[in-house]
Amino acid sequence: MTTTMTSYDPAVDAPKHHHPVYDYDSGPPVDRGKFAIWVFLGTEIMFFTGMIGTYIVLRAGSPEWPNPAHRLAVGITAFNTFVLICSSATVVAGLFAVQKDDMAALRKWWGLSILLGAGFVGIQAYEYVHLIDHGMTPNQDLFWSTFYLMTALHGLHVIIGVLWLAVAYVKILRGGYSSKNWVGLELAGLYWHFVDLVWVLLFTLIYLM
Amino acid sequence: MSEHPPQFSVKKLWILLLVLTAAEVIYGEIGNRNFYEQKLLLWGGLLTFAFIKGYYIFQYFMHMKYEGAIVKGNVWFTIPLVVYMMIMIWPDTASNDKLNYEIANQLDPFTGKVSTIIEGSRNMVNKEFQHMYDDYAATHPGAEVHGTGGH
């Protein structure tokens, strides 16, 4: 005698395990998170290219352009560039530490990275306050418009990066990473290095050229 | 997770990047004082420093050097895309002086003929059309004419 199923109730009839388990990896031979962050960074490259492109077009089309050294405190920002490069180096040192299961070193390097990142934001805020105090607001001329456009959007990236590093730090303190599981830290690091890389270009274009 | 975790000396790379940054700032300082008008020398030098630093951050800190073909292929693709964008757009838009070629065929609203603008920069184009607005305003007293200025 055969039984006929009259209605399908997923709560009763669905298999317990929804994820099929294969004896091979069905995905591409690359970590999904890493692939995703690189695709995202690809869009970020195009985003900053659009902004830098706009700056170059406006600058080249202007009859004259002020020497940035006469308007901006290059020394302070050069120091700030040092700070950001140091924070990139400490992130890498943290990543190497977690790969060796050296959690004390990881906490030290990662904490230092957050402090350096926050320091960068602080120095930039200090610069902004002084510039605005002297009447250098975005509506003054094209130099200041493009200056604030690019540095503020990059600064926003730095703030997001610091928050990301901080969230990862909380997970580090809770023992969420080990030499077997550190991709989350690598993703935060990739974003952070990208922000550093963009700053290297912006610093040259805005402050030195 | 990388199959082969990258191993390089963070300290050496860190020092290299700091030295390059210092050298770049000093070069910029000297350049601004001594050869500010020689843009190719000043900008070329500065951009060389920036690209070398960017290359090391990209290859080692972001360990692109140690990635497999899938990640490399996806990311490196954006670089020629950016270069293509620059080549296609910037020469046309980046300098008013270079806008001395045919811009467009435009319908002359007064004569009904299509005219081709071939002269000068954007401002020259406006001057080119100005007489039409002036003529129209002169022959049509009281008419509201939206010219490029002066009415």
Side-chain angles (χ1 to χ4, degrees):
Chain A
M1 189 182 167
T2 54
T3 54
T4 309
M5 193 186 281
T6 50
S7 65
Y8 180 82
D9 180 3
V12 178
D13 302 314
K16 285 270 189 294
H17 301 287
H18 290 269
H19 296 290
V21 179
Y22 301 111
D23 57 357
Y24 61 92
D25 186 353
S26 63
V30 57
D31 182 86
R32 287 166 177 77
K34 192 188 251 190
F35 187 72
I37 190 96
W38 272 116
V39 170
F40 170 67
L41 291 182
T43 68
E44 288 276 79
I45 292 171
M46 297 314 289
F47 170 74
F48 278 104
T49 302
M51 247 177 7
I52 293 171
T54 305
Y55 166 74
I56 291 175
V57 165
L58 288 173
R59 178 168 177 169
S62 297
E64 55 189 47
W65 197 264
N67 184 344
H70 299 156
R71 289 193 166 197
L72 296 163
V74 177
I76 294 172
T77 314
F79 174 73
N80 222 9
T81 309
F82 273 98
V83 170
L84 206 57
I85 288 174
C86 291
S87 77
S88 253
T90 53
V91 162
V92 178
L95 205 61
F96 282 3
V98 72
Q99 286 164 3
K100 293 172 190 152
D101 260 331
D102 186 351
M103 291 319 201
L106 170 63
R107 283 193 295 274
K108 179 183 78 179
W109 291 123
W110 210 264
L112 195 56
S113 307
I114 296 169
L115 287 179
L116 289 165
F120 179 90
V121 176
I123 292 173
Q124 202 178 17
Y126 171 83
E127 182 191 25
Y128 271 27
V129 167
H130 273 258
L131 286 174
I132 293 168
D133 213 31
H134 286 82
M136 307 303 180
T137 45
N139 58 347
Q140 288 298 311
D141 59 26
L142 216 46
F143 178 90
W144 292 116
S145 309
T146 50
F147 168 82
Y148 281 105
L149 171 76
M150 290 193 285
T151 55
L153 278 170
H154 176 267
L156 187 66
H157 278 77
V158 179
I159 291 169
I160 292 168
V162 171
L163 291 176
W164 193 346
L165 294 181
V167 169
Y169 191 66
V170 172
K171 200 173 168 186
I172 291 169
L173 293 180
R174 289 179 178 171
Y177 296 107
S178 68
S179 62
K180 300 253 182 329
N181 169 29
W182 42 266
V183 171
L185 294 178
E186 193 183 11
L187 301 186
L190 280 171
Y191 179 79
W192 190 249
H193 300 313
F194 175 77
V195 170
D196 181 23
L197 172 53
V198 169
W199 182 252
V200 163
L201 295 175
L202 286 184
F203 173 64
T204 304
L205 285 171
I206 302 172
Y207 287 84
L208 299 179
M209 278 173 60
Chain B
M1 204 176 290
S2 301
E3 288 298 314
H4 308 287
Q7 287 297 336
F8 53 87
S9 170
V10 184
K11 200 174 169 185
K12 274 186 195 165
L13 198 55
W14 174 63
I15 291 169
L16 176 70
L17 288 171
L18 293 191
V19 167
L20 281 172
T21 304
E24 184 187 10
V25 173
I26 292 166
Y27 182 82
E29 188 71 21
I30 293 170
N32 268 324
R33 286 185 189 168
N34 299 309
F35 48 92
Y36 183 68
E37 294 306 322
Q38 285 167 273
K39 297 296 185 195
L40 192 65
L41 187 62
L42 180 61
W43 293 359
L46 289 169
L47 283 177
T48 305
F49 276 114
F51 284 135
I52 292 172
K53 280 157 68 186
Y55 175 81
Y56 278 112
I57 292 172
F58 186 62
Q59 286 285 62
Y60 289 93
F61 279 0
M62 301 177 86
H63 39 82
M64 180 52 73
K65 194 180 172 187
Y66 307 95
E67 294 294 347
I70 290 181
V71 172
K72 267 186 188 158
N74 268 280
V75 178
W76 278 108
F77 176 68
T78 55
I79 312 277
L81 200 62
V82 167
V83 174
Y84 173 74
M85 214 173 104
M86 287 191 245
I87 292 169
M88 293 304 279
I89 295 172
W90 291 355
D92 279 0
T93 54
S95 175
N96 274 335
D97 301 336
K98 290 183 182 156
L99 283 175
N100 56 0
Y101 49 82
E102 206 172 285
I103 294 174
N105 292 319
Q106 290 196 358
L107 181 70
D108 181 343
F110 305 112
T111 61
K113 289 177 185 166
V114 173
S115 51
T116 303
I117 306 161
I118 52 169
E119 192 184 343
S121 67
R122 290 188 192 89
N123 291 331
M124 293 289 286
V125 173
N126 292 338
K127 283 175 195 159
E128 183 81 3
F129 271 108
Q130 190 60 50
H131 73 276
M132 297 180 184
Y133 294 101
D134 293 342
D135 293 348
Y136 187 82
T139 51
H140 296 75
E144 192 179 338
V145 181
H146 298 283
T148 52
H151 293 286

